[in-house]
Amino acid sequence: MKRWEKGPEMPGRAIERWRGLAIRTVLLGGLLALVGCARLPYTVQTVHQDQRVVVAIQREVTSAGYSHPVQLSPQDLVAILGSFSFRPQQRLPLRWFAEETPPKKIFRQDELEALAPFLAEALQKVGPEERVHFQVLAPGMNPAYEHDTNGGWIAVRDPYFHLTLEHFHAQFPVRKDEMWDLRYPAIPPEPGAFLLYFEPNRFWITDPAVDERGVLYRDFLKSVVLPVRKQGSP
Amino acid sequence: MKKAAPVGRNIQNGPSLLSRFLTLVALLALAGSMDALAVESGRLIEKDGKYVFVENQDPALRLLLERAVDKGFISREEYEQALKASEEYRYQTQLPFKMWYDRGFNFSMNDNAFFLKVRGRFQNRLTTRWRNDAWRNPGDAKNFPELLGVFGDYRANRSVGNSTQFNLRRARLLFTGHLFNPDFKYFLQLGMESSENAQTPGSVNLLDYYLTSTHFPLLNAQLGQYKVYFNRSQINNTASMQFAERALVQDVFTANGLNRRDIGLTIMNDEEVYPINYYFGIFDGGGPLFTDYGSYESEEPAEGCPGGQTSGNPFPSPATGCAGNQRNINANARFNSISQLMYTARVMWNVMGRPGYGEGDLAYSETPQWSVAGNIAYNPQINTSSNNAFVGIDLANLNWRRQLATFGNGRQLGWGFVDYTTWGVDSVLKYRGFSLQGEYYFKNINRHNKGLPCLQTVGTGGPCTTFAPNQFGNSTGWYVQSGYYLIPRHLELAARYAYWDPDTHAASDLVKEVDLSLNWFPFGTYDYQVMITYSNIAMGTGGYAIGRSSPLPSTGGSQSTVPCPPTFPSGCVPLDAKGGTLIDNVLRFQVQVFF
């Protein structure tokens, strides 16, 4: 006879067993929450927030060993970030056919000029186990419902400058619930996967500490001629 | 004279001069803005699934013009004029609307005076269930959650062994958006699914159709048919649950006791703005697409004589002098029940953050999100089917009877008119992928006929000899559920325990449920999900239900007589005579695509 066919004498024990399991599950979950074991980087300070730019300091959940704080001017950051381009990283098997797509610039000039001062300020405040997260906002496809968002984070582990792009013109809901259904949660889109490129490529070197590419930013800044807008140019 | 004339005209047409001046200023401002547009403006368009910023100016034209300026072929003024003319041309010739896909098909007029979002929700599941022997006999004689029979007469629901079935559990089509401006919203949802135990195939049903005004954050208003803002588990969208199915107890304590949806008006404030939220509602109280006009009592041709039976005097016979009747010669009498409305109230305090109604912490809250709430509803004049005729024969109020059964109140059938006063408290906590949520419910059931229902008489129309064993009691229940994201935003493990006492006057009728669920959200949103939910449900078969439990209705005779005497029109063996506990083990594998 199968367990579920035992008849009326079974339910009491079954209920007790499952109730015990449920209680233990709840207690275990509560314990995990009490311990507060963050598993994703979390915001510890918002450096700046307006309708155009959000810059925050996030604490890493694993040891990062960054060389923070760092002194970089807004012009330096404009030069560095303006040299990045990207290509969306496709999943297999689409990845085999996606290489024809040319890389695109991450930031427009106006976005860089809006963002860089606050990034520079944040880099002076950030600690060695923290990173600087940013979002550049614009009206979304429907401005009443969504923000158009370019987002990511930067960090410096000398001599490397690291940039991670999480969102490129992603549509973020402006509220926690959908505007069209007040009962349905509006969840921001997940960070995407992007392949980053940096020009000149000779400064785009693998950081052995994390086995990821970073910019040899000091060398780059020595070589770069900061753009000067010509007067009267159209 | 030639000079005077225009001066005179100017003097005579003073307002015209002013308007021309204003027009000139406006044109200058426009020219200035267009100049800026020529350099910076653009718009986002979707191309190949990505949003790209496209400048309003054709890059090729801009390049050519810039080269022309550099080479001196055109002046700077000509360059500016060409750019403005080009942009104006593009603006005038562009389509007055835009369309794109983002969590649904979106259509918007360029001035955002009209917006339409069309979404579809597909939720398919494979359900395997194992039931114990008690499901074969007695089965569920308390009519939860289904009322079997073509005419809604009361039968037990019995089944054997195990079964495996695919079920299109939710097939929805949504048309949402706004009119005039984003603060005047509309919402239309069609449901085309059928429940797991549906007796008839699903058809297209209008689930929600309402208008919402959010012009005043303190005084939002919603009018139409929708889910009543009452208890947490029902307010939440079924697309954002932690389990494939709600717990049974969550369906029982809806505001109207009949359905989670109703037709009416809700006034509330903006949850996003205020930490304390209120929802005050007034509804028909009869469920979706239905009004109290659909509720009636059977009456003989003689006024005041209850009808509804095949022959003989009404049973039990409260009225003397009423003639024996024919079942099909009856009137459907609508009394004061049609003037009664349902009132609801809910108050919620977002103590920390704003957890919202979606279950589980999918968003991975960086700070604790905690809210507590209380709610109360008063729904008078629920017609559980009159107790003035043989139970199961009076064909009145089939829709209400089925709704009562579907939402867990089938054992209240046959008690005449009742008033529901339902209240509850709930709380939810979310933090870093962990969630804990619970609700407590209580339903006070006030029966209009205060005496015990008469079930057996001495002969037709004779004095009553046997009554129902006791009055139907109140109802109470609670649940607690918790979840934890093993992989933030992607993989959740959740557990739930639910308890329900459907009749506080009855013994051995408790309904207990345990659920475990493993949920995978491949894209980190509720829209796409795969769930495996295991449920163990134990339902006591105790308690009393008119027409199904002992004593059964009769007009004379003895229940112990063998064979069953003809005075028992519905038979003399109670459906729940064997007793026992119904055990249901259910495994649901569910896929949802909300596109």
Side-chain angles (χ1 to χ4, degrees):
Chain A
M1 178 179 281
K2 295 174 182 175
R3 288 171 57 193
W4 51 83
E5 294 174 341
K6 279 187 177 176
E9 73 279 6
M10 186 63 189
R13 290 204 307 273
I15 284 294
E16 288 302 319
R17 187 171 67 249
W18 287 111
R19 180 160 57 187
L21 181 60
I23 291 172
R24 280 195 289 273
T25 305
V26 170
L27 289 176
L28 176 63
L31 186 64
L32 290 170
L34 287 175
V35 171
C37 50
R39 291 158 297 147
L40 294 177
Y42 56 96
T43 302
V44 293
Q45 182 187 354
T46 301
V47 176
H48 178 81
Q49 182 169 10
D50 61 22
Q51 293 186 339
R52 181 70 168 136
V53 173
V54 180
V55 173
I57 294 174
Q58 288 186 336
R59 181 173 292 278
E60 297 277 10
V61 292
T62 57
S63 178
Y66 296 131
S67 314
H68 298 158
V70 176
Q71 290 278 351
L72 281 172
S73 70
Q75 291 75 18
D76 293 340
L77 286 165
V78 168
I80 295 171
L81 295 174
S83 300
F84 275 101
S85 55
F86 80 100
R87 193 153 55 183
Q89 184 175 29
Q90 303 287 344
R91 298 180 180 183
L92 288 174
L94 293 176
R95 194 178 298 171
W96 298 332
F97 309 100
E99 299 303 315
E100 300 301 321
T101 310
K104 288 186 281 195
K105 286 285 185 186
I106 298 176
F107 301 102
R108 297 197 312 271
Q109 189 64 26
D110 62 305
E111 293 174 329
L112 284 174
E113 289 170 1
L115 177 65
F118 304 110
L119 288 181
E121 178 186 348
L123 282 172
Q124 294 173 22
K125 296 178 177 176
V126 72
E129 300 301 329
E130 295 168 338
R131 66 193 197 185
V132 177
H133 189 268
F134 63 85
Q135 288 182 322
V136 183
L137 308 177
M141 291 298 291
N142 190 317
Y145 300 151
E146 293 128 358
H147 285 310
D148 175 83
T149 304
N150 277 2
W153 56 271
I154 60 171
V156 174
R157 185 186 293 105
D158 265 335
Y160 302 97
F161 178 98
H162 289 275
L163 166 69
T164 296
L165 180 63
E166 294 180 335
H167 298 101
F168 182 74
H169 292 299
Q171 299 298 294
F172 273 51
V174 298
R175 295 169 58 105
K176 291 184 79 171
D177 295 320
E178 294 285 5
M179 293 286 283
W180 43 270
D181 182 357
L182 301 177
R183 299 170 297 225
Y184 191 59
I187 308 290
E190 265 206 308
F194 300 96
L195 297 171
L196 296 187
Y197 303 91
F198 188 86
E199 292 294 339
N201 189 254
R202 64 179 184 276
F203 300 111
W204 188 229
I205 305 296
T206 300
D207 178 355
V210 288
D211 200 26
E212 289 176 3
R213 287 198 173 196
V215 178
L216 291 171
Y217 71 101
R218 295 189 194 283
D219 296 340
F220 169 73
L221 290 174
K222 287 176 191 168
S223 69
V224 71
V225 176
L226 293 178
V228 177
R229 181 170 286 185
K230 289 190 289 185
Q231 292 296 320
S233 63
Chain B
M1 290 296 292
K2 282 185 178 178
K3 282 186 178 178
V7 171
R9 279 201 302 272
N10 285 344
I11 292 172
Q12 287 173 353
N13 301 328
S16 175
L17 178 64
L18 178 63
S19 66
R20 287 181 189 184
F21 173 74
L22 292 175
T23 305
L24 179 63
V25 171
L27 285 173
L28 287 173
L30 180 62
S33 65
M34 289 182 70
D35 189 34
L37 285 173
V39 178
E40 297 287 353
S41 71
R43 61 195 175 109
L44 288 167
I45 64 168
E46 188 192 28
K47 198 72 178 176
D48 302 330
K50 297 292 176 188
Y51 296 102
V52 294
F53 183 86
V54 177
E55 290 190 17
N56 287 342
Q57 188 55 63
D58 182 352
L61 177 62
R62 176 191 288 275
L63 177 67
L64 291 174
L65 288 173
E66 286 174 359
R67 291 285 166 84
V69 171
D70 290 342
K71 300 292 184 185
F73 296 147
I74 60 174
S75 68
R76 179 158 183 77
E77 288 72 25
E78 290 172 322
Y79 167 83
E80 298 286 354
Q81 286 174 358
L83 278 187
K84 285 177 201 168
S86 173
E87 281 204 7
E88 190 170 351
Y89 171 77
R90 289 172 63 86
Y91 178 77
Q92 295 295 346
T93 56
Q94 72 178 352
L95 292 172
F97 57 84
K98 56 185 177 181
M99 296 181 290
W100 72 99
Y101 177 82
D102 179 27
R103 292 172 296 158
F105 167 78
N106 296 268
F107 174 92
S108 175
M109 302 306 290
N110 286 345
D111 61 0
N112 214 10
F114 175 77
F115 174 62
L116 168 67
K117 179 187 279 281
V118 182
R119 297 195 77 178
R121 182 147 72 99
F122 167 90
Q123 198 180 75
N124 206 340
R125 72 168 60 145
L126 178 66
T127 303
T128 299
R129 65 193 331 153
W130 303 269
R131 290 181 161 175
N132 68 347
D133 293 342
W135 270 102
R136 180 64 187 89
N137 188 11
D140 172 27
K142 302 299 185 295
N143 298 116
F144 177 76
E146 53 187 328
L147 187 63
L148 296 176
V150 176
F151 297 113
D153 45 354
Y154 308 149
R155 303 180 181 185
N157 165 28
R158 292 176 172 173
S159 56
V160 294
N162 56 21
S163 67
T164 298
Q165 294 284 299
F166 282 103
N167 176 229
L168 188 57
R169 184 63 188 87
R170 288 184 181 87
R172 304 282 174 88
L173 196 55
L174 295 88
F175 300 86
T176 70
H178 63 248
L179 297 168
F180 310 125
N181 66 57
D183 283 322
F184 191 58
K185 302 175 176 64
Y186 64 89
F187 185 98
L188 189 157
Q189 180 173 212
L190 301 175
M192 291 154 279
E193 69 267 18
S194 55
S195 61
E196 286 180 345
N197 53 6
Q199 301 164 62
T200 53
S203 57
V204 179
N205 286 307
L206 182 68
L207 298 180
D208 299 288
Y209 197 5
Y210 59 83
L211 300 173
T212 307
S213 162
T214 56
H215 295 85
F216 309 104
L218 193 58
L219 208 67
N220 290 344
Q222 188 164 308
L223 176 68
Q225 176 176 301
Y226 47 92
K227 290 202 286 185
V228 179
Y229 290 91
F230 184 61
N231 56 21
R232 170 168 290 280
S233 57
Q234 295 293 344
I235 294 174
N236 176 40
N237 196 311
T238 52
S240 52
M241 298 200 300
Q242 284 180 298
F243 304 88
E245 202 63 270
R246 290 189 182 94
L248 299 183
V249 70
Q250 294 174 331
D251 282 338
V252 178
F253 296 90
T254 57
N256 57 22
L258 299 163
N259 197 294
R260 57 184 65 91
R261 289 181 168 85
D262 217 310
I263 306 170
L265 170 70
T266 299
I267 304 295
M268 55 194 166
N269 64 357
D270 191 334
E271 295 173 20
E272 196 91 3
V273 177
Y274 302 100
I276 295 179
N277 307 125
Y278 74 88
Y279 312 76
F280 295 144
I282 179 167
F283 297 86
D284 277 347
L289 298 175
F290 199 68
T291 72
D292 285 357
Y293 286 105
S295 166
Y296 50 82
E297 294 176 80
S298 293
E299 190 176 57
E300 285 186 5
E303 188 177 336
C305 290
Q309 60 172 307
T310 303
S311 63
N313 273 334
F315 172 83
S317 182
T320 55
C322 293
N325 58 30
Q326 295 294 318
R327 189 177 73 180
N328 293 326
I329 303 180
N330 284 306
N332 292 329
R334 296 176 171 87
F335 299 113
N336 64 348
S337 61
I338 59 176
S339 64
Q340 303 285 313
L341 295 172
M342 178 178 79
Y343 302 91
T344 66
R346 174 177 171 82
V347 176
M348 180 170 68
W349 178 25
N350 291 310
V351 184
M352 304 171 75
R354 204 176 75 75
Y357 286 105
E359 294 177 359
D361 191 20
L362 176 63
Y364 190 82
S365 305
E366 289 189 354
T367 57
Q369 311 284 304
W370 178 34
S371 80
V372 293
N375 43 269
I376 188 166
Y378 175 64
N379 192 20
Q381 300 279 8
I382 301 294
N383 190 351
T384 67
S385 185
S386 60
N387 60 353
N388 61 10
F390 286 118
V391 174
I393 291 181
D394 188 349
L395 303 184
N397 305 305
L398 177 58
N399 182 48
W400 274 24
R401 284 191 282 169
R402 281 186 168 161
Q403 285 194 98
L404 281 164
T406 302
F407 280 80
N409 299 305
R411 70 188 69 208
Q412 296 166 27
L413 294 169
W415 289 84
F417 280 90
V418 297
D419 301 335
Y420 287 156
T421 302
T422 310
W423 60 269
V425 292
D426 64 77
S427 185
V428 62
L429 170 69
K430 299 178 181 180
Y431 184 46
R432 288 180 177 172
F434 169 78
S435 65
L436 179 65
Q437 172 178 326
E439 285 189 76
Y440 173 79
Y441 309 110
F442 189 87
K443 178 187 287 181
N444 178 277
I445 302 167
N446 176 35
R447 181 168 167 260
H448 289 201
N449 297 325
K450 297 304 178 189
L452 288 171
C454 177
L455 294 169
Q456 295 176 14
T457 62
V458 177
T460 302
C464 190
T465 57
T466 305
F467 295 88
N470 50 40
Q471 290 278 12
F472 199 91
N474 296 317
S475 188
T476 185
W478 56 271
Y479 75 87
V480 61
Q481 67 187 52
S482 182
Y484 188 73
Y485 275 82
L486 305 174
I487 302 173
R489 293 194 64 168
H490 287 287
L491 186 65
E492 181 189 35
L493 182 63
R496 176 174 63 194
Y497 180 77
Y499 173 96
W500 171 32
D501 183 358
D503 181 355
T504 53
H505 286 175
S508 305
D509 65 338
L510 298 180
V511 179
K512 300 173 183 176
E513 178 174 349
V514 176
D515 307 271
L516 282 175
S517 194
L518 188 65
N519 311 323
W520 180 43
F521 304 90
F523 302 114
T525 71
Y526 289 107
D527 292 349
Y528 301 87
Q529 56 184 249
V530 178
M531 281 186 175
I532 302 175
T533 301
Y534 168 76
S535 301
N536 177 283
I537 305 167
M539 295 201 295
T541 57
Y544 181 76
I546 290 178
R548 292 146 284 172
S549 303
S550 179
L552 289 168
S554 82
T555 52
S558 168
Q559 195 166 349
S560 61
T561 303
V562 177
C564 194
T567 49
F568 280 85
S570 300
C572 60
V573 180
L575 281 169
D576 56 359
K578 188 171 180 178
T581 301
L582 311 174
I583 303 293
D584 206 357
N585 293 279
V586 189
L587 190 63
R588 293 183 172 97
F589 177 81
Q590 179 173 285
V591 175
Q592 173 176 290
V593 177
F594 197 5
F595 58 97

